[in-house]
Amino acid sequence: MPEKTNIITLDGPSGVGKSTISRRIAAQLGYTYLDTGAMYRAVGFYLKTQSVDIDNFENVSACLGDITIRLLPARDEISDAGVILNGRDISDRIRTPEISMLASRVSTIPAVRMKLTEMQRQIGAEGRVVAEGRDTGTVVFPEAAHKFFLDADIRERAHRRIRQMRLTGAAVDEREVFEMIQKRDRDDSERSIAPLKKAEDALLIDTTGLTIEEVCSEILHNIES
Ligand code: DC
């Protein structure tokens, strides 16, 4: 498979700074930012609002054809990517702890992964994409020439998430945030299909104690060289 030099992938666990860093890298290079997690969140949101039993994989598969998802570019470097689900803007509805956990659960369903992976590949077909998620370097774009795997100490990741939530004015239960991150780490890494893991050819960056600027400059330096 020929390498694609204009696809950049960033994978890693939640709270590691992937979104902020991916958005900055995409803005600097003039690439499209592809937030694959937002798609899993949109599917989780859809299934919840339609009261579909997530544990019934057949029912879930049957309604996937009714779902259309469109990603909107992030308004600025600090905003998340927008999401349009079946014509409705759900951007402000999908970043809650409940939808995070739901997204993680639906991401174990093979039919969901197949559909979203296909959509992600279509978006990346022309290249010039910065994709972030759990499996973008291993499954979605194995041919990407620039792969990064970000990791950080779980306590620091929880603190970053708590700070981020406080900025939005949300009430925060610190212990709950920590436990949810711990559970998502475990579930996302231990699932049998497309688990969270570093691609063999990805560069591992431990972001513990590093600023966003430091991580971005390491990534850009690596891409340029
Ligand atoms: O990156 P995020 O927190 O928005 O992702 C939400 C969930 O979606 C995450 O816990 C697991 C799932 N996900 C996935 O399985 N594969 C991806 N490429 C991206 C997200």
Side-chain angles (χ1 to χ4, degrees):
M1 194 182 331
E3 265 198 340
K4 284 210 176 145
T5 53
N6 59 1
I7 296 187
I8 298 162
T9 64
L10 278 89
D11 290 306
S14 43
V16 79
K18 292 187 303 290
S19 307
T20 313
I21 291 162
S22 304
R23 277 196 301 268
R24 283 217 193 166
I25 302 283
Q28 293 225 12
L29 298 175
Y31 278 23
T32 299
Y33 163 54
L34 172 54
D35 178 356
T36 62
M39 294 176 157
Y40 288 94
R41 287 173 184 270
V43 173
F45 180 85
Y46 177 85
L47 298 175
K48 173 180 136 71
T49 49
Q50 299 297 311
S51 307
V52 178
D53 175 7
I54 292 183
D55 296 318
N56 185 329
F57 285 16
E58 263 178 43
N59 284 3
V60 172
S61 304
C63 68
L64 287 179
D66 302 332
I67 300 178
T68 61
I69 298 169
R70 196 157 62 84
L71 294 184
L72 303 176
R75 281 188 300 272
D76 49 55
E77 274 187 18
I78 56 164
S79 306
D80 289 308
V83 183
I84 305 289
L85 169 71
N86 294 343
R88 173 180 168 209
D89 189 340
I90 57 162
S91 315
D92 296 335
R93 311 285 304 274
I94 58 166
R95 306 285 171 186
T96 62
E98 184 196 4
I99 300 295
S100 302
M101 300 313 281
L102 261 180
S104 182
R105 277 178 66 200
V106 303
S107 73
T108 62
I109 305 174
V112 172
R113 294 212 77 85
M114 226 155 67
K115 177 180 169 100
L116 297 189
T117 299
E118 179 55 34
M119 286 176 62
Q120 291 154 15
R121 287 184 181 149
Q122 273 170 19
I123 294 170
E126 300 298 317
R128 298 182 66 81
V129 156
V130 179
E132 62 121 325
R134 304 294 185 287
D135 64 340
T136 61
T138 49
V139 175
V140 186
F141 301 117
E143 74 281 23
H146 306 291
K147 299 183 187 176
F148 301 90
F149 189 90
L150 307 186
D151 206 352
D153 179 79
I154 186 167
R155 283 178 301 268
E156 180 155 333
R157 288 191 281 124
H159 278 125
R160 289 177 188 166
R161 188 44 58 86
I162 289 162
R163 268 201 307 273
Q164 209 176 29
M165 289 170 79
R166 290 215 167 107
L167 280 180
T168 68
V172 183
D173 179 333
E174 295 192 14
R175 187 170 184 81
E176 193 181 32
V177 173
F178 183 86
E179 284 172 1
M180 281 170 125
I181 288 189
Q182 208 172 29
K183 175 162 172 41
R184 270 212 292 158
D185 276 5
R186 202 176 42 240
D187 293 349
D188 293 346
S189 320
E190 290 180 359
R191 66 176 180 230
S192 55
I193 174 168
L196 165 67
K197 74 165 190 233
K198 180 184 149 328
E200 271 176 23
D201 51 350
L203 178 72
L204 171 68
I205 303 179
D206 184 343
T207 73
T208 314
L210 296 183
T211 62
I212 297 287
E213 288 73 24
E214 285 168 332
V215 181
C216 287
S217 86
E218 181 166 350
I219 290 175
L220 286 167
H221 178 75
N222 187 276
I223 292 170
E224 280 154 19
S225 63

